Amino acid sequence: MKPIRLKNIPSRAKRFVNSQFHAHWRKEPIRAGTVLYESFAGNGMLCNPEAIFRQLLVAPDMQRLHHIWVLSDLRHYRQTVAEFAATPNVTFVRHGTPSYYRALATSEYLINNATFPAQFSKRPGQTYLNTWHGTPLKRMGYDIIRGALGTANIIRNFVAADYLLAANPFMAEQMYETAYKLSGISRSLIIEEGYPRIDRQTLDVGGVEAGRARLTTAGIPLGDRTIVLYAPTWKGASFARPEDDIDQLLDHVARLTARIDTSKYVVLLKTHQIVHAFAALRPELARVLVPNDIPTNVVLGLSDVLITDYSSILFDFLATGRPILFFTPDLDDYSGTRGLYFDPENWPGPVCLTVDQLAVELVGTLTTGDLPAESAERYRTSQQQFCGVDDGRASARIVDIVFRENARHHHVRPVVSLNRPSLLVYLGGMRSNGITTSVLNLLNSIDHSRFDVSACFDQSKAPAAIENQLAINPAVRQFPRVGGMNGSALDQLRRRLDFRRGRINRHQTEPAQKTLWDDEWTRCFGDSRFDFVVDFSGYGPFWAALLLHSPTAIRSIWLHNDLAADAHREINGKKKMLHSLTEVFTLYRQYDHLVSVSPTLSTINRRKLSAYADPEQFTFALNAADAKHILRAASQDLRETVRDPDTGITPPWADALLADDTVTTFVSVGRLSPEKNQARLIRAFSRVHRTTPTTRLVLVGDGPLKSELEALIASLGLEGSVILTGEQRNPHAIMAAADCFALSSDYEGQPMVILEALVLGLPIVTVEFESVKNALPAGFGLVVPQTDQNLAQGLTAFLNGEVPTGTFDHAAYTRRALNQFHTAIGAASVLTDATGSGFRTGLAPAR
């Protein structure tokens, strides 16, 4: 257990207090007629929520509503607070305070233009409208390289929303349904009735005067000058260092200002939300920086020309019909890293790569009051595509849909259904081990045109876990679990006591505990529904219990080993898994299928775990082998694969493996733990090495027995001939450099390493264990009894050319494994039906 640092105590105490307030208010009734608004985590009364709020304030039939605004700092936004000081049905709460969590838990309507925090879980009786904050020009979500790493809380919010607001069909289809993979899983309704915040650009004479007065009051000497608004997006390398962007912005504004008639025109700077707090501290920007508490779209309505780069603000400004200039000095780099949805030649305005080029275009535009002819047609096309319904009445239509429930008279539709069965798979701890390898292989092997697949796991910052997350098939939707379970300290204590006392099965029978677990399911997966739910790990009681709270589904849990033996296995004299696995066993009767990874292993588990489940629940499915991945990884440069990324040093053993010599290399891959029994392999190898010195043994992996094995190697005088590589991100390249694969486990389920050795065409020598006949096909390899002497004889047999080999048909094997998987989870008949009249998922019809 990690020690608690003293400096962390205040923040931990604050989180605890807030969690208890949140838990308390989540048990209180929903307050009818309350509306909670949040924009950019409280960074002002802004964007679509502000426009909808103002529409509700003036609607005669909505005067019953009480409005609660979230602000990050009530003193900083005192002008906003003062504006509504005399309005009794408008109140403010500070983000992250007990009052905030009360409002989040009890408001009837929730409106956000970004995301609520990880603690948020929509309650029955709440209606959630997520408006987002713009049509994207830059790629989003899974459309970005490594984009899956940043989607966790966004997708969690989207699948919880009753309504998703789309400014246009492109945003609905490309961002929501594709980039965030909501097609096939979301039960939200998409509203395509324009963007409320664009209404705020439509200013009458009084609105223009009021807006310019606010800018003047903020210290910007406007006079009667025409506004040129420079509004770039955030392009810094890290949100933790947004100040890096400011010097560059200062230079751009200064150089543009020097090229225009400042008696007639003024260049104002509107920074990204991330940058503004830092920009506001720079005195050089005081006379040009647009305050963050003035709605961006009001400033757009005051501006005659917009200069931007990749910001979604361009799509809003299109509705004004006024010129847009694009300043993208980093275009090649940005489009190659973040990526763009539209090529620059299709943008609705001139694209400038230098400040000088931009200044020429700006002066020309200010002189003529219009865009060059070559940009005009693109502008008109973009207007029609992206803001064709923005007529200044979008806010009124949103109110009619959400608050009057009058969707049938507007453009409201459900998220597209993929019309195929939905599958949720829990991947386990995402450590680099056999289970992770097996499930990644499965996700690569599944036919994604027949299944809609989602994966869940605990979000982790561990490098190995991140690497494995990035290896998830891109067709798979990811639900990384962020944050923790809601509930009072007393409820959590009862949950933990139930676990300690072996009563985890009370998660379904004790009302308060059932509510706790049901809420956690909703917090993680929103309103999502799955036809099949799979716990592919099978080792963790928390996830084994949580998956049982999925709405109606066929549920399966995997048994990767002789789990009764695993439960009683001792490590350093302790049965570390006995309690947790026993808790998992007690949940077995609540699952539909208990899936072992080989027929023999299923027989073993059926016999040994008969007290926990009925015989007919037990079944099996062989692990899938991702041959393409294995062969691709094996072909990588070994030295590059094992080079230390921090020091750049390649370990000497890599050069030894690649040397053109007469040394025969045996290799074994696996965790250095008792059941793998690498000690027996080392002792057996010692016998062989004494008679055949031109041999070496390479053990790939890490684990609790590392120091013991190092001592054994030293005692046998094998320091130069037995190599412990530690954990390696690409063991296949090491295996490919060896001559023979050896396995010395006391017991296994269906070891992935044997499958990988078969794909690589390596001869195999393995000791006998109960499921070995399912792991090693007939005619391949040599199986010997579990003794040092017999294993040594097996290694010698390889040296004598007596170990049978062949060509492994991995494609046929994978087809068989997938068919067994379909049968094991109860999907075989469903897939057969799907080839006929069409499969209908468990998704309920749209409201």
Side-chain angles (χ1 to χ4, degrees), residues 17-45:
V17 170
N18 284 338
S19 71
Q20 297 314 292
F21 275 102
H22 193 207
H24 167 75
W25 289 113
R26 284 183 60 81
K27 294 181 179 180
E28 295 298 308
I30 301 295
R31 293 184 292 167
T34 53
V35 189
L36 180 70
Y37 306 87
E38 183 176 321
S39 292
F40 304 111
N43 205 10
M45 182 184 281

Side-chain angles (χ1 to χ4, degrees), residues 82-139:
E83 181 183 354
F84 297 96
T87 309
N89 64 334
V90 178
T91 56
F92 297 87
V93 296
R94 187 158 63 89
H95 190 273
T97 62
S99 297
Y100 170 75
Y101 286 107
R102 177 186 181 181
L104 188 61
T106 61
S107 295
E108 181 181 5
Y109 295 96
L110 308 169
I111 302 178
N112 201 322
N113 81 334
T115 59
F116 289 116
Q119 300 94 317
F120 167 66
S121 177
K122 189 181 69 177
R123 297 175 61 193
Q126 291 186 310
T127 298
Y128 179 14
L129 165 64
N130 191 292
T131 71
W132 204 240
H133 47 268
T135 300
L137 173 62
K138 53 194 176 189
R139 291 184 179 273

Side-chain angles (χ1 to χ4, degrees), residues 38-116:
E38 183 176 321
S39 292
F40 304 111
N43 205 10
M45 182 184 281
L46 303 168
C47 198
N48 293 304
E50 186 245 4
I52 296 168
F53 159 70
R54 292 186 183 276
Q55 179 66 35
L56 287 169
L57 276 185
V58 300
D61 60 338
M62 295 293 156
Q63 298 308 298
R64 62 182 176 81
L65 298 177
H66 181 82
H67 308 274
I68 305 172
W69 262 98
V70 179
L71 295 174
S72 59
D73 187 331
L74 300 189
R75 286 176 295 180
H76 181 77
Y77 297 108
R78 55 186 174 275
Q79 286 184 304
T80 300
V81 176
E83 181 183 354
F84 297 96
T87 309
N89 64 334
V90 178
T91 56
F92 297 87
V93 296
R94 187 158 63 89
H95 190 273
T97 62
S99 297
Y100 170 75
Y101 286 107
R102 177 186 181 181
L104 188 61
T106 61
S107 295
E108 181 181 5
Y109 295 96
L110 308 169
I111 302 178
N112 201 322
N113 81 334
T115 59
F116 289 116

Side-chain angles (χ1 to χ4, degrees), residues 394 561 568 586 672 781:
N561 220 325
H568 289 86
T586 65
L672 306 183

Side-chain angles (χ1 to χ4, degrees), residues 381-460:
T381 300
S382 296
Q383 274 188 309
Q384 186 175 16
Q385 182 178 1
F386 299 112
C387 54
V389 297
D390 283 298
D391 56 1
R393 296 281 299 160
S395 300
R397 292 192 289 272
I398 303 308
V399 167
D400 199 33
I401 293 164
V402 177
F403 291 87
R404 299 190 186 101
E405 299 183 359
N406 197 14
R408 63 186 178 278
H409 296 303
H410 300 285
H411 293 94
V412 181
R413 66 171 178 83
V415 172
V416 167
S417 170
L418 299 177
N419 200 34
R420 53 185 184 245
S422 56
L423 167 66
L424 175 68
V425 184
Y426 169 58
L427 306 188
M430 298 295 281
R431 293 183 292 272
S432 295
N433 56 27
I435 291 176
T436 300
T437 299
S438 179
V439 76
L440 292 177
N441 289 347
L442 174 66
L443 296 180
N444 281 334
S445 302
I446 286 176
D447 184 348
H448 293 277
S449 69
R450 303 177 74 192
F451 273 108
D452 176 73
V453 185
S454 299
C456 57
F457 48 91
D458 284 306
Q459 183 85 298
S460 173

Side-chain angles (χ1 to χ4, degrees), residues 86 139 197 200 205 317 384 432 471 605 607 705 755 772:
R139 291 184 179 273
R197 73 184 192 185
R200 300 283 280 138
V205 174
F317 198 70
Q384 186 175 16
S432 295
N605 283 321
R607 182 180 72 248
L705 299 188
L755 272 179
V772 71

